Amino acid sequence: MKRKQIDAETTKESAEENLCHALLAMRGVGEMRSFLRDLCTPSELEALVDRWRVVPYLLEGMAYREIHDRTGVSVTTIGRVARFLAQGSGGYRAAVEHRAVPSLRKRGRSAAAAKKSV
């Protein structure tokens, strides 16, 4: 029997918009974490986390190799994030403007303070 071609009920653009609305509907980190864990495979989630993890280091102007040494994220991924941070659609920059990126200075001070107190 010949297979019929099926037309999608929603366009790719409308499905993407629906996903954006679902992400915006999450209330708090716990809900968002649960949603992402249900939505993504462990590898997909790890890739997202790795990309997001290098953003503060790139904003500080750190060399790719040093970022790799500190995070274990591949230099290729770091380069990809840097490219989209500079020339992407503005999503990384919007998150930065909303102060969603943790400061490395706080981490450095905490580590230094912890060393002094030991």
Side-chain angles (χ1 to χ4, degrees), residues 54-86:
V54 303
V55 171
Y57 296 101
L58 289 168
L59 292 173
E60 291 286 326
M62 195 174 291
Y64 293 7
R65 180 60 54 194
E66 187 174 351
I67 296 170
H68 167 74
D69 291 343
R70 289 176 182 230
T71 65
V73 175
S74 76
V75 173
T76 302
T77 296
I78 295 164
R80 182 178 301 118
V81 173
R83 184 173 60 252
F84 281 95
L85 190 57

mmCIF file of all heavy atoms in Angstrom, residues 54-86:
data_model
loop_
_atom_site.group_PDB
_atom_site.id
_atom_site.type_symbol
_atom_site.label_atom_id
_atom_site.label_comp_id
_atom_site.label_asym_id
_atom_site.label_seq_id
_atom_site.Cartn_x
_atom_site.Cartn_y
_atom_site.Cartn_z
ATOM 1 N N VAL A 54 29.874 28.241 29.826
ATOM 2 C CA VAL A 54 31.042 28.983 29.375
ATOM 3 C C VAL A 54 30.773 30.470 29.161
ATOM 4 O O VAL A 54 31.719 31.251 29.032
ATOM 5 C CB VAL A 54 31.659 28.359 28.103
ATOM 6 C CG1 VAL A 54 32.029 26.913 28.348
ATOM 7 C CG2 VAL A 54 30.756 28.482 26.901
ATOM 8 N N VAL A 55 29.523 30.878 29.147
ATOM 9 C CA VAL A 55 29.182 32.276 28.874
ATOM 10 C C VAL A 55 29.887 33.247 29.827
ATOM 11 O O VAL A 55 30.514 34.210 29.372
ATOM 12 C CB VAL A 55 27.651 32.495 28.858
ATOM 13 C CG1 VAL A 55 27.303 33.980 28.807
ATOM 14 C CG2 VAL A 55 27.026 31.758 27.680
ATOM 15 N N PRO A 56 29.838 33.035 31.146
ATOM 16 C CA PRO A 56 30.501 34.018 32.023
ATOM 17 C C PRO A 56 31.999 34.139 31.755
ATOM 18 O O PRO A 56 32.557 35.234 31.828
ATOM 19 C CB PRO A 56 30.240 33.509 33.439
ATOM 20 C CG PRO A 56 29.373 32.323 33.331
ATOM 21 C CD PRO A 56 29.169 31.999 31.902
ATOM 22 N N TYR A 57 32.640 33.042 31.438
ATOM 23 C CA TYR A 57 34.076 33.071 31.152
ATOM 24 C C TYR A 57 34.360 33.858 29.872
ATOM 25 O O TYR A 57 35.318 34.629 29.805
ATOM 26 C CB TYR A 57 34.631 31.647 31.026
ATOM 27 C CG TYR A 57 34.543 30.855 32.304
ATOM 28 C CD1 TYR A 57 33.535 29.918 32.487
ATOM 29 C CD2 TYR A 57 35.465 31.045 33.335
ATOM 30 C CE1 TYR A 57 33.444 29.180 33.660
ATOM 31 C CE2 TYR A 57 35.389 30.312 34.511
ATOM 32 C CZ TYR A 57 34.372 29.382 34.664
ATOM 33 O OH TYR A 57 34.295 28.670 35.835
ATOM 34 N N LEU A 58 33.519 33.661 28.856
ATOM 35 C CA LEU A 58 33.684 34.409 27.604
ATOM 36 C C LEU A 58 33.464 35.899 27.837
ATOM 37 O O LEU A 58 34.176 36.729 27.281
ATOM 38 C CB LEU A 58 32.723 33.881 26.538
ATOM 39 C CG LEU A 58 33.070 32.505 25.984
ATOM 40 C CD1 LEU A 58 31.901 31.947 25.169
ATOM 41 C CD2 LEU A 58 34.338 32.556 25.141
ATOM 42 N N LEU A 59 32.486 36.232 28.654
ATOM 43 C CA LEU A 59 32.224 37.640 28.951
ATOM 44 C C LEU A 59 33.392 38.291 29.676
ATOM 45 O O LEU A 59 33.613 39.494 29.549
ATOM 46 C CB LEU A 59 30.941 37.780 29.784
ATOM 47 C CG LEU A 59 29.644 37.419 29.063
ATOM 48 C CD1 LEU A 59 28.480 37.439 30.038
ATOM 49 C CD2 LEU A 59 29.391 38.354 27.893
ATOM 50 N N GLU A 60 34.134 37.494 30.426
ATOM 51 C CA GLU A 60 35.322 37.996 31.121
ATOM 52 C C GLU A 60 36.526 38.089 30.182
ATOM 53 O O GLU A 60 37.579 38.570 30.575
ATOM 54 C CB GLU A 60 35.671 37.081 32.303
ATOM 55 C CG GLU A 60 34.673 37.141 33.436
ATOM 56 C CD GLU A 60 34.759 38.411 34.263
ATOM 57 O OE1 GLU A 60 35.877 38.937 34.439
ATOM 58 O OE2 GLU A 60 33.709 38.869 34.736
ATOM 59 N N GLY A 61 36.382 37.566 28.950
ATOM 60 C CA GLY A 61 37.472 37.629 27.986
ATOM 61 C C GLY A 61 38.528 36.552 28.162
ATOM 62 O O GLY A 61 39.635 36.673 27.649
ATOM 63 N N MET A 62 38.176 35.490 28.857
ATOM 64 C CA MET A 62 39.125 34.414 29.112
ATOM 65 C C MET A 62 39.422 33.637 27.831
ATOM 66 O O MET A 62 38.555 33.484 26.974
ATOM 67 C CB MET A 62 38.535 33.474 30.174
ATOM 68 C CG MET A 62 39.525 32.522 30.787
ATOM 69 S SD MET A 62 38.783 31.592 32.153
ATOM 70 C CE MET A 62 38.572 32.883 33.368
ATOM 71 N N ALA A 63 40.636 33.144 27.702
ATOM 72 C CA ALA A 63 41.051 32.355 26.542
ATOM 73 C C ALA A 63 40.296 31.027 26.507
ATOM 74 O O ALA A 63 40.005 30.443 27.553
ATOM 75 C CB ALA A 63 42.556 32.100 26.604
ATOM 76 N N TYR A 64 40.015 30.553 25.301
ATOM 77 C CA TYR A 64 39.261 29.305 25.125
ATOM 78 C C TYR A 64 39.918 28.146 25.859
ATOM 79 O O TYR A 64 39.260 27.342 26.491
ATOM 80 C CB TYR A 64 39.127 28.936 23.653
ATOM 81 C CG TYR A 64 38.277 29.855 22.810
ATOM 82 C CD1 TYR A 64 37.764 31.055 23.285
ATOM 83 C CD2 TYR A 64 37.990 29.499 21.513
ATOM 84 C CE1 TYR A 64 36.994 31.866 22.484
ATOM 85 C CE2 TYR A 64 37.212 30.311 20.697
ATOM 86 C CZ TYR A 64 36.713 31.498 21.192
ATOM 87 O OH TYR A 64 35.939 32.295 20.397
ATOM 88 N N ARG A 65 41.227 28.032 25.752
ATOM 89 C CA ARG A 65 41.943 26.908 26.375
ATOM 90 C C ARG A 65 41.794 26.959 27.901
ATOM 91 O O ARG A 65 41.586 25.939 28.537
ATOM 92 C CB ARG A 65 43.417 26.942 25.968
ATOM 93 C CG ARG A 65 44.276 25.852 26.545
ATOM 94 C CD ARG A 65 43.885 24.440 26.197
ATOM 95 N NE ARG A 65 43.768 24.188 24.789
ATOM 96 C CZ ARG A 65 43.194 23.117 24.266
ATOM 97 N NH1 ARG A 65 42.691 22.183 25.036
ATOM 98 N NH2 ARG A 65 43.102 22.961 22.977
ATOM 99 N N GLU A 66 41.853 28.146 28.483
ATOM 100 C CA GLU A 66 41.676 28.267 29.935
ATOM 101 C C GLU A 66 40.241 27.912 30.337
ATOM 102 O O GLU A 66 40.023 27.248 31.353
ATOM 103 C CB GLU A 66 42.034 29.673 30.412
ATOM 104 C CG GLU A 66 42.018 29.775 31.930
ATOM 105 C CD GLU A 66 42.498 31.107 32.460
ATOM 106 O OE1 GLU A 66 43.012 31.934 31.682
ATOM 107 O OE2 GLU A 66 42.347 31.327 33.676
ATOM 108 N N ILE A 67 39.273 28.329 29.534
ATOM 109 C CA ILE A 67 37.883 27.969 29.810
ATOM 110 C C ILE A 67 37.735 26.452 29.766
ATOM 111 O O ILE A 67 37.107 25.854 30.644
ATOM 112 C CB ILE A 67 36.912 28.640 28.799
ATOM 113 C CG1 ILE A 67 36.955 30.159 28.946
ATOM 114 C CG2 ILE A 67 35.489 28.112 28.990
ATOM 115 C CD1 ILE A 67 36.217 30.915 27.852
ATOM 116 N N HIS A 68 38.337 25.841 28.753
ATOM 117 C CA HIS A 68 38.295 24.373 28.647
ATOM 118 C C HIS A 68 38.912 23.731 29.881
ATOM 119 O O HIS A 68 38.344 22.785 30.449
ATOM 120 C CB HIS A 68 39.032 23.905 27.390
ATOM 121 C CG HIS A 68 39.303 22.441 27.385
ATOM 122 N ND1 HIS A 68 38.316 21.502 27.166
ATOM 123 C CD2 HIS A 68 40.445 21.745 27.626
ATOM 124 C CE1 HIS A 68 38.850 20.293 27.251
ATOM 125 N NE2 HIS A 68 40.132 20.418 27.532
ATOM 126 N N ASP A 69 40.058 24.228 30.314
ATOM 127 C CA ASP A 69 40.731 23.661 31.488
ATOM 128 C C ASP A 69 39.883 23.791 32.752
ATOM 129 O O ASP A 69 39.884 22.909 33.599
ATOM 130 C CB ASP A 69 42.094 24.332 31.707
ATOM 131 C CG ASP A 69 43.106 23.979 30.615
ATOM 132 O OD1 ASP A 69 42.882 22.992 29.878
ATOM 133 O OD2 ASP A 69 44.115 24.708 30.494
ATOM 134 N N ARG A 70 39.137 24.876 32.873
ATOM 135 C CA ARG A 70 38.312 25.106 34.063
ATOM 136 C C ARG A 70 36.986 24.346 34.039
ATOM 137 O O ARG A 70 36.454 24.007 35.087
ATOM 138 C CB ARG A 70 38.018 26.593 34.222
ATOM 139 C CG ARG A 70 39.210 27.399 34.639
ATOM 140 C CD ARG A 70 38.859 28.870 34.686
ATOM 141 N NE ARG A 70 40.019 29.648 35.051
ATOM 142 C CZ ARG A 70 40.010 30.564 36.008
ATOM 143 N NH1 ARG A 70 38.906 30.829 36.676
ATOM 144 N NH2 ARG A 70 41.097 31.237 36.269
ATOM 145 N N THR A 71 36.439 24.134 32.822
ATOM 146 C CA THR A 71 35.092 23.566 32.730
ATOM 147 C C THR A 71 35.026 22.178 32.119
ATOM 148 O O THR A 71 34.039 21.472 32.302
ATOM 149 C CB THR A 71 34.184 24.478 31.875
ATOM 150 O OG1 THR A 71 34.683 24.492 30.524
ATOM 151 C CG2 THR A 71 34.112 25.891 32.433
ATOM 152 N N GLY A 72 36.026 21.815 31.337
ATOM 153 C CA GLY A 72 35.985 20.548 30.617
ATOM 154 C C GLY A 72 35.165 20.613 29.337
ATOM 155 O O GLY A 72 35.033 19.621 28.635
ATOM 156 N N VAL A 73 34.620 21.767 29.014
ATOM 157 C CA VAL A 73 33.833 21.948 27.792
ATOM 158 C C VAL A 73 34.801 22.047 26.615
ATOM 159 O O VAL A 73 35.854 22.683 26.714
ATOM 160 C CB VAL A 73 32.944 23.211 27.894
ATOM 161 C CG1 VAL A 73 32.212 23.486 26.591
ATOM 162 C CG2 VAL A 73 31.963 23.074 29.048
ATOM 163 N N SER A 74 34.449 21.415 25.494
ATOM 164 C CA SER A 74 35.348 21.388 24.344
ATOM 165 C C SER A 74 35.586 22.789 23.788
ATOM 166 O O SER A 74 34.719 23.661 23.846
ATOM 167 C CB SER A 74 34.785 20.490 23.241
ATOM 168 O OG SER A 74 33.729 21.134 22.562
ATOM 169 N N VAL A 75 36.769 22.979 23.234
ATOM 170 C CA VAL A 75 37.134 24.255 22.627
ATOM 171 C C VAL A 75 36.193 24.562 21.451
ATOM 172 O O VAL A 75 35.841 25.719 21.215
ATOM 173 C CB VAL A 75 38.618 24.243 22.188
ATOM 174 C CG1 VAL A 75 38.983 25.490 21.411
ATOM 175 C CG2 VAL A 75 39.519 24.094 23.413
ATOM 176 N N THR A 76 35.745 23.536 20.747
ATOM 177 C CA THR A 76 34.797 23.721 19.640
ATOM 178 C C THR A 76 33.492 24.313 20.150
ATOM 179 O O THR A 76 32.949 25.264 19.567
ATOM 180 C CB THR A 76 34.524 22.375 18.931
ATOM 181 O OG1 THR A 76 35.760 21.850 18.467
ATOM 182 C CG2 THR A 76 33.566 22.548 17.780
ATOM 183 N N THR A 77 32.971 23.769 21.242
ATOM 184 C CA THR A 77 31.725 24.293 21.830
ATOM 185 C C THR A 77 31.934 25.711 22.326
ATOM 186 O O THR A 77 31.079 26.587 22.126
ATOM 187 C CB THR A 77 31.244 23.372 22.967
ATOM 188 O OG1 THR A 77 30.918 22.096 22.412
ATOM 189 C CG2 THR A 77 30.030 23.946 23.682
ATOM 190 N N ILE A 78 33.065 25.958 22.959
ATOM 191 C CA ILE A 78 33.365 27.306 23.456
ATOM 192 C C ILE A 78 33.382 28.301 22.294
ATOM 193 O O ILE A 78 32.796 29.388 22.380
ATOM 194 C CB ILE A 78 34.699 27.316 24.223
ATOM 195 C CG1 ILE A 78 34.577 26.455 25.488
ATOM 196 C CG2 ILE A 78 35.119 28.743 24.574
ATOM 197 C CD1 ILE A 78 35.892 26.078 26.125
ATOM 198 N N GLY A 79 34.005 27.914 21.193
ATOM 199 C CA GLY A 79 34.043 28.778 20.012
ATOM 200 C C GLY A 79 32.662 29.035 19.438
ATOM 201 O O GLY A 79 32.341 30.149 19.018
ATOM 202 N N ARG A 80 31.830 27.998 19.434
ATOM 203 C CA ARG A 80 30.456 28.139 18.929
ATOM 204 C C ARG A 80 29.681 29.128 19.797
ATOM 205 O O ARG A 80 28.978 30.010 19.293
ATOM 206 C CB ARG A 80 29.767 26.783 18.933
ATOM 207 C CG ARG A 80 28.356 26.807 18.377
ATOM 208 C CD ARG A 80 27.708 25.424 18.358
ATOM 209 N NE ARG A 80 28.473 24.480 17.561
ATOM 210 C CZ ARG A 80 29.034 23.363 18.029
ATOM 211 N NH1 ARG A 80 28.890 23.027 19.287
ATOM 212 N NH2 ARG A 80 29.708 22.572 17.240
ATOM 213 N N VAL A 81 29.802 29.001 21.105
ATOM 214 C CA VAL A 81 29.103 29.913 22.011
ATOM 215 C C VAL A 81 29.609 31.341 21.806
ATOM 216 O O VAL A 81 28.813 32.287 21.739
ATOM 217 C CB VAL A 81 29.262 29.473 23.479
ATOM 218 C CG1 VAL A 81 28.690 30.517 24.425
ATOM 219 C CG2 VAL A 81 28.593 28.124 23.703
ATOM 220 N N ALA A 82 30.914 31.493 21.676
ATOM 221 C CA ALA A 82 31.491 32.827 21.471
ATOM 222 C C ALA A 82 30.955 33.462 20.192
ATOM 223 O O ALA A 82 30.628 34.653 20.171
ATOM 224 C CB ALA A 82 33.016 32.735 21.423
ATOM 225 N N ARG A 83 30.850 32.659 19.138
ATOM 226 C CA ARG A 83 30.338 33.159 17.860
ATOM 227 C C ARG A 83 28.886 33.628 18.008
ATOM 228 O O ARG A 83 28.516 34.708 17.557
ATOM 229 C CB ARG A 83 30.462 32.084 16.788
ATOM 230 C CG ARG A 83 30.055 32.549 15.410
ATOM 231 C CD ARG A 83 30.342 31.537 14.309
ATOM 232 N NE ARG A 83 29.638 30.266 14.502
ATOM 233 C CZ ARG A 83 30.212 29.121 14.865
ATOM 234 N NH1 ARG A 83 31.510 29.060 15.067
ATOM 235 N NH2 ARG A 83 29.499 28.019 15.025
ATOM 236 N N PHE A 84 28.054 32.817 18.678
ATOM 237 C CA PHE A 84 26.650 33.208 18.839
ATOM 238 C C PHE A 84 26.485 34.346 19.838
ATOM 239 O O PHE A 84 25.567 35.155 19.710
ATOM 240 C CB PHE A 84 25.789 32.000 19.215
ATOM 241 C CG PHE A 84 25.461 31.149 18.028
ATOM 242 C CD1 PHE A 84 26.225 30.044 17.722
ATOM 243 C CD2 PHE A 84 24.408 31.479 17.204
ATOM 244 C CE1 PHE A 84 25.944 29.263 16.607
ATOM 245 C CE2 PHE A 84 24.110 30.707 16.076
ATOM 246 C CZ PHE A 84 24.885 29.594 15.778
ATOM 247 N N LEU A 85 27.371 34.426 20.802
ATOM 248 C CA LEU A 85 27.340 35.540 21.748
ATOM 249 C C LEU A 85 27.597 36.854 21.005
ATOM 250 O O LEU A 85 26.955 37.863 21.273
ATOM 251 C CB LEU A 85 28.399 35.304 22.833
ATOM 252 C CG LEU A 85 28.423 36.199 24.051
ATOM 253 C CD1 LEU A 85 27.094 36.178 24.789
ATOM 254 C CD2 LEU A 85 29.544 35.772 24.990
ATOM 255 N N ALA A 86 28.507 36.801 20.032
ATOM 256 C CA ALA A 86 28.863 38.002 19.265
ATOM 257 C C ALA A 86 27.935 38.261 18.083
ATOM 258 O O ALA A 86 27.615 39.408 17.781
ATOM 259 C CB ALA A 86 30.307 37.880 18.772
#
